[in-house]
Amino acid sequence: MSDEARPGTTWALLRKAKRSDQFFAYVCLLPSALLLLGVMVFPVANVFLMAVSKTDPAGSIIGFDGWGNFRDLLDDPAFPRIIRQTLIWTAFMLAIATPISVGLAIVVQRPFPGRTLARGVIFAPWAVSFVFVSVVWRFILDPYYGHLNPLLSFITRHSVDVPWLGRPATAMASVIWVGISLTIPFTTIVTLSGLQSISPEYIEAAKIDGASSVQSFRFVTLPLLRPVLAVATLVNLIYIFNSFPIIWTMTEGGPVNYTDTLVTYLYKRTFRGLDFGEGAALSVIGFVFLLVSSLLYVRSTAREVF
Amino acid sequence: MHARLREDRVWIMLGYAYLLLMLGIISFPAVIGLITSLKTPTEVYTTPPTWIPNNIRLRNYVDMFAALPLARAFLNSLIVAAASSALTLAAALPAGYALARFDFPGRRAFLFFVLGSIMFSPVVIIVALFRLMNTYGLLNSYPSLIITNATFSLPFCIWLSTAYIRSIPRELDEAASIDGAGRLQTLWRVILPMALPGVATVVIFAFIQAWNEFLLANTFMSTAEMKPLSVTIYSFVGYRGIEWQYISGAILLAVIPAVMLFLLVQRWLVQGLTMGAVK
């Protein structure tokens, strides 16, 4: 073991071990780093560049603009509402989908007959491209051919004839509903994998000490689940905020721009308004928001991971 | 675990009720899709809609393969998704191990650098990505989609692997090295089996990401024989109108390979892999 008569050698050995550990770590990171650098660096740098440039309708940069694009955005009367809609979209989906998914994960964790089938059904919506699920829902919500209104009429014994995607409030609710239904499979399965790493001995011990199911969940399961749940929530935050296919396929941000989020709005500005600079500026704003949120979130949660 | 207490039994019943409710809600669109896929084109557009097709048209499922090169599209999707998830796993798992076990300069920076890459929606960078793939000479080829999809899956997979490996007791690593295992062997023989639920999730996530991906596939692939399922199915949204009966059926078929993979892999989502290992 450590040779106290010759501390110089031990220290040198430890330093060497640490350096070779670090070398190993860097090698482990190499494939990921190569992929990310090779694919993401150029496009991202391009976005930042365009955000501070004047662009022509073809997307080429024709001059430096400084904060011009950002000022144009602040002058845009729709801008504050777009921001609000984006926050509503993100907050509601996170707040509703997360508890539902955790509950589901707990239920399908223990073995019971039909568990595999249940897990398969939960998983299945995730196996469909969001574009298609949204297309199907658009059909279901259609006031003429769709099945939802007749179903609701049948259940409530009232004639339900709501133009779901035609009115701002119901359209927003509809896209959020579809978004939640598509967030649940992912979150449930990730939570399930997290639950599996919790040794049942901990819960047994709590029960032996007299804890009820609720208490053992709150004080044993939940804290141990936090690292994985934190990752899922963080990644959900980013994906939901940047989500495009669902809203675009269902409403294209409509009616007018009452279901537009930052991303759908920037798509319109870029490819319809042909203002690439403004679109890029919107992306930068979104990026900054997400970066700050992520840093704050990481700061305030699971120390175990970061 | 046996439910000895009455309280436990109440929770279990509530749990089943909750599960059934959620399963019903989740499968609602799929049921509608199934019904629609068996209708004739005119029946799809009736008001009010019929719940059971008047003439069950199984022929739709044959016709859709004649209408578009669906079989080839299936193959394309399979190749891209499988390769993509393999690549993601190969990159994310070692990265997660390194980030979970070692402390080194740039550790936190790397984690956020990785996360930062998904803070831009693909919509935002699609034009630049197209130009990039053109420069690489990879347009209309499998590698363009494989590399890009793997890259997009990396952030979540790296973070999940890191969190997961962190939850595996360090003592196992130490025990392995005392037994003479090198770092690579420790990763392969000790950590990997312990982290199977995490591995399962990574594989599923990366596969689905590539299987469903629409925007990149639509942009990079220009010939019909290279287009994957997501793009080909979307061709049923034609100028004349949306061929709902074909789309619904094709979507249901498209779900099958992914669900099969999931059923295979979900066996690893079992508890207690770390149980008793340190004793």
Side-chain angles (χ1 to χ4, degrees), chain A residues 50-72:
Chain A
M50 277 207 287
V52 293
S53 312
K54 285 200 244 290
T55 52
D56 71 9
S60 312
I61 296 177
I62 51 180
F64 184 69
D65 200 19
W67 296 108
N69 288 317
F70 293 93
R71 246 177 281 132
D72 287 342

Side-chain angles (χ1 to χ4, degrees), chain B residues 173-186:
Chain B
D173 287 42
E174 287 157 20
S177 74
I178 288 176
D179 282 348
R183 285 186 220 98
L184 209 58
Q185 278 181 311
T186 313

Side-chain angles (χ1 to χ4, degrees), chain B residues 28-65:
Chain B
F28 178 62
V31 171
I32 302 290
L34 182 63
I35 297 171
T36 310
S37 72
L38 295 170
K39 289 184 179 175
T40 59
T42 35
E43 199 189 339
V44 171
Y45 285 106
T46 50
T47 307
T50 54
W51 287 88
I52 301 178
N54 290 328
N55 308 302
I56 297 195
R57 238 191 120 155
L58 284 171
R59 256 200 68 182
N60 281 340
Y61 281 92
V62 177
D63 290 344
M64 67 173 74
F65 278 91

Side-chain angles (χ1 to χ4, degrees), chain B residues 116-256:
Chain B
S117 70
I118 49 166
M119 293 184 190
F120 290 94
S121 178
V123 161
V124 172
I125 52 179
I126 190 70
V127 174
L129 275 174
F130 178 81
R131 281 190 225 147
L132 190 69
M133 287 298 148
N134 198 18
T135 314
Y136 286 155
L138 289 176
L139 280 182
N140 208 40
S141 74
Y142 291 132
S144 65
L145 284 181
I146 294 174
I147 294 174
T148 331
N149 278 312
T151 309
F152 282 144
S153 303
L154 275 183
F156 168 68
C157 294
I158 290 179
W159 276 68
L160 186 74
S161 305
T162 309
Y164 214 81
I165 295 180
R166 269 275 168 129
S167 72
I168 296 175
R170 240 178 227 270
E171 291 84 41
L172 287 167
D173 287 42
E174 287 157 20
S177 74
I178 288 176
D179 282 348
R183 285 186 220 98
L184 209 58
Q185 278 181 311
T186 313
L187 174 59
W188 184 253
R189 291 248 169 87
V190 178
I191 300 289
L192 192 60
M194 289 282 152
L196 275 185
V199 170
T201 312
V202 165
V203 167
I204 293 171
F205 182 85
F207 188 88
I208 293 293
Q209 160 78 27
W211 184 260
N212 285 346
E213 205 288 318
F214 177 79
L215 194 64
L216 295 170
N218 201 27
T219 311
F220 294 161
M221 303 305 212
S222 41
T223 58
E225 66 207 8
M226 290 304 288
K227 291 189 183 182
L229 215 51
S230 48
V231 179
T232 309
I233 293 182
Y234 203 71
S235 310
F236 283 127
V237 180
Y239 307 111
R240 300 169 271 118
I242 306 178
E243 307 214 46
W244 291 108
Q245 73 282 13
Y246 287 154
I247 277 195
S248 320
I251 293 172
L252 286 174
L253 287 184
V255 168
I256 291 176

Side-chain angles (χ1 to χ4, degrees), chain B residues 61-144:
Chain B
Y61 281 92
V62 177
D63 290 344
M64 67 173 74
F65 278 91
L68 285 175
L70 273 181
R72 173 76 199 204
F74 255 99
L75 182 68
N76 291 335
S77 284
L78 215 58
I79 293 176
V80 169
S84 195
S85 64
L87 183 58
T88 307
L89 191 63
L93 206 64
Y97 180 61
L99 291 162
R101 286 292 190 242
F102 304 111
D103 201 9
F104 49 88
R107 186 181 159 270
R108 279 196 165 209
F110 185 80
L111 274 171
F112 275 95
F113 164 67
V114 158
L115 197 66
S117 70
I118 49 166
M119 293 184 190
F120 290 94
S121 178
V123 161
V124 172
I125 52 179
I126 190 70
V127 174
L129 275 174
F130 178 81
R131 281 190 225 147
L132 190 69
M133 287 298 148
N134 198 18
T135 314
Y136 286 155
L138 289 176
L139 280 182
N140 208 40
S141 74
Y142 291 132
S144 65

Side-chain angles (χ1 to χ4, degrees), chain A residues 29-295:
Chain A
L29 295 182
L30 198 61
S32 315
L34 282 176
L35 275 174
L36 285 164
L37 287 172
V39 174
M40 295 300 293
V41 165
F42 169 66
V44 169
N46 197 35
V47 169
F48 279 105
L49 199 59
M50 277 207 287
V52 293
S53 312
K54 285 200 244 290
T55 52
D56 71 9
S60 312
I61 296 177
I62 51 180
F64 184 69
D65 200 19
W67 296 108
N69 288 317
F70 293 93
R71 246 177 281 132
D72 287 342
L73 282 173
L74 287 174
D75 288 337
D76 188 340
F79 185 62
R81 190 159 43 78
I82 306 284
I83 298 286
R84 214 187 72 209
Q85 281 158 201
T86 311
L87 291 174
I88 290 177
W89 160 260
T90 311
F92 269 85
M93 285 215 331
L94 268 181
I96 298 177
T98 310
I100 292 180
S101 307
V102 173
L104 267 178
I106 293 174
V107 171
V108 295
Q109 185 203 27
R110 298 202 206 156
F112 61 86
R115 179 180 75 165
T116 308
L117 178 65
R119 286 183 175 188
V121 172
I122 292 173
F123 167 76
W126 194 11
V128 187
S129 182
F130 287 1
V131 171
F132 297 133
V133 177
S134 311
V135 159
V136 173
W137 271 107
R138 208 173 82 190
F139 182 74
I140 294 176
L141 293 171
D142 188 294
Y144 297 113
Y145 317 119
H147 293 80
L148 187 64
N149 281 343
L151 184 67
L152 290 176
S153 304
F154 176 74
I155 293 177
T156 61
R157 306 207 166 283
H158 263 98
S159 173
V160 175
D161 200 10
V162 182
W164 293 99
L165 299 176
R167 290 199 205 128
T170 52
M172 194 62 174
S174 306
V175 294
I176 290 182
W177 165 259
V178 174
I180 289 175
S181 73
L182 289 173
T183 309
I184 288 177
F186 164 74
T187 316
T188 305
I189 289 171
V190 174
T191 309
L192 186 62
S193 79
L195 283 174
Q196 310 303 31
S197 71
I198 299 176
S199 174
E201 302 166 331
Y202 291 121
I203 306 186
E204 294 272 5
K207 289 279 173 83
I208 288 173
D209 283 349
S212 70
S213 289
V214 177
Q215 285 173 321
S216 71
F217 176 72
R218 254 186 81 198
F219 296 115
V220 180
T221 311
L222 208 53
L224 288 173
L225 188 58
R226 274 217 304 180
V228 170
L229 196 57
V231 172
T233 309
L234 180 60
V235 163
N236 264 337
L237 167 72
I238 299 174
Y239 278 136
I240 293 173
F241 187 89
N242 276 332
S243 171
F244 181 76
I246 301 174
I247 299 179
W248 190 257
T249 313
M250 287 182 75
T251 62
E252 287 195 10
V256 191
N257 52 15
Y258 279 90
T259 53
D260 259 330
T261 58
L262 196 93
V263 177
T264 60
Y265 193 64
L266 86 83
Y267 184 85
K268 285 181 182 171
R269 297 301 300 148
T270 307
F271 294 107
R272 296 207 177 145
L274 295 180
D275 194 339
F276 283 76
E278 221 178 270
L282 275 165
S283 321
V284 171
I285 294 177
F287 170 77
V288 170
F289 173 79
L290 284 173
L291 189 64
V292 170
S293 311
S294 307
L295 285 168

